[in-house]
Amino acid sequence: MTKKERKLRFEALAEYGCVICMRPAEIHHLIGHPYSSMGKKANDINTIPLCVDHHRGSQGIHHIGMRVWEDTYGTQKFHLNKIDIPK
């Protein structure tokens, strides 16, 4: 993915809003197998928009953990497939 493509994707994701609550969003790189491995960030294509609360907050994937978050809100793959942003 070129820098321009990355910028356009991230802008479109941020404009889309959080996939959970539609509030303003930041970019979340999907975590866990098959998206990332120990110490490596997922490819920029494997990204979804999450608000601060659902990303890093008390209900966020990085706070409550991937399994609990996915049990509560649906899988990251589901949300990745749900958004209609060009890859």
Side-chain angles (χ1 to χ4, degrees):
M1 175 177 276
T2 67
K3 285 183 181 183
K4 183 177 180 179
E5 291 169 332
R6 179 182 191 267
K7 182 179 187 288
L8 291 172
R9 177 170 175 77
F10 286 8
E11 286 173 353
L13 288 172
E15 187 176 309
Y16 184 91
C18 178
V19 294
I20 306 301
C21 66
M22 301 310 296
R23 288 186 298 167
E26 54 192 29
I27 307 306
H28 166 67
H29 287 80
L30 277 55
I31 56 175
H33 179 76
Y35 307 108
S36 60
S37 59
M38 293 291 285
K40 291 190 176 184
K41 184 171 68 170
N43 187 296
D44 290 335
I45 292 172
N46 294 318
T47 50
I48 59 174
L50 293 175
C51 68
V52 171
D53 291 336
H54 290 116
H55 190 210
R56 300 179 280 122
S58 63
Q59 294 302 306
I61 193 165
H62 294 294
H63 182 77
I64 63 176
M66 182 185 71
R67 286 194 177 109
V68 172
W69 190 92
E70 287 187 339
D71 287 346
T72 305
Y73 300 110
T75 66
Q76 297 172 93
K77 182 177 182 176
F78 167 78
H79 292 293
L80 179 65
N81 292 334
K82 180 173 86 170
I83 57 175
D84 188 23
I85 305 290
K87 292 184 179 182

